[in-house]
């Protein structure tokens, strides 16, 4: 039995493989409906404790991940779970860091790097990936 997101719920990105991931901003209340099974938190400081499994990647606001190898490992862990579990990506606002991570996730799932930002903006949020260096990071992600 799988426990994935409702593909029509707000904040859900459908990847080319059919896997689903939710992006959100932690400044906003937890959306109604099922809770995540796993979350990847992209914040400059350690996130508050939650009732589900989570992983934290140190990532200051408007910047890039402090440890790119740690980010890539965390992203792979999240991508592997997206097919059978409810996986959430979150930063404070839900756009810059979350959008950047979702764009890198899309690359892992087969979207060409040059198209990943547009894919996430169309499927998740038009405000995803906020800074020029975040866009460049996505294009160089492998």
């Amino acid at each position: 039995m799988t426990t994935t997101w409702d593909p029509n719920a707000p904040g859900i990105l459908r990847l080319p493989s059919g896997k689903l991931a939710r992006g959100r901003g932690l400044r906003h209340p937890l959306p109604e409906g099922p809770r995540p099974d796993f979350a990847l938190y992209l914040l400059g400081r350690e996130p508050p404790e939650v009732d589900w499994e989570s992983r934290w990647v140190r990532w200051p606001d408007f910047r890039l991940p402090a440890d790119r190898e740690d980010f890539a490992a965390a992203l792979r862990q999240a991508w592997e779970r997206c097919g059978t579990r409810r996986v959430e990506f979150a930063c404070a606002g839900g756009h810059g860091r979350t959008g950047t991570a979702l764009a890198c996730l899309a690359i892992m799932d087969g979207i060409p790097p040059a198209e990943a930002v547009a894919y996430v903006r169309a499927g998740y949020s038009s405000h995803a990936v906020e800074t020029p260096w975040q866009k460049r990071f996505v294009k160089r992600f492998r």
Side-chain angles (χ1 to χ4, degrees):
M1 181 174 114
T2 62
T3 56
T4 60
W5 298 112
D6 172 356
N8 300 313
I12 302 300
L13 176 68
R14 180 183 291 278
L15 297 167
S17 66
K19 291 181 177 187
L20 303 173
R22 179 171 80 184
R24 79 175 179 106
L26 294 173
R27 287 189 198 124
H28 309 291
L30 188 66
E32 290 186 26
R35 296 182 182 273
D37 296 314
F38 177 79
L40 184 56
Y41 294 118
L42 314 160
L43 299 164
R45 66 178 68 154
E46 193 168 352
E49 287 194 33
V50 291
D51 294 335
W52 47 85
E53 187 179 355
S54 66
R55 183 163 175 179
W56 168 48
V57 171
R58 184 180 302 275
W59 190 333
D61 203 5
F62 296 106
R63 307 254 186 236
L64 297 173
D67 182 333
R68 293 175 190 200
E69 288 181 25
D70 181 51
F71 169 67
L75 192 66
R76 176 149 309 278
Q77 181 181 19
W79 180 78
E80 289 171 354
R81 294 173 184 209
C82 282
T84 59
R85 299 284 181 241
R86 290 184 300 268
V87 176
E88 172 178 87
F89 290 77
C91 63
H95 295 112
R97 294 168 284 184
T98 296
T100 301
L102 288 173
C104 292
L105 189 74
I107 292 167
M108 289 180 78
D109 205 64
I111 295 291
E115 298 171 20
V117 171
Y119 183 85
V120 171
R121 286 180 174 170
Y124 166 65
S125 170
S126 61
H127 302 288
V129 191
E130 294 176 314
T131 68
W133 42 92
Q134 289 171 342
K135 290 177 195 171
R136 190 169 41 250
F137 180 79
V138 169
K139 285 184 180 178
R140 294 177 179 170
F141 184 79
R142 301 286 179 256

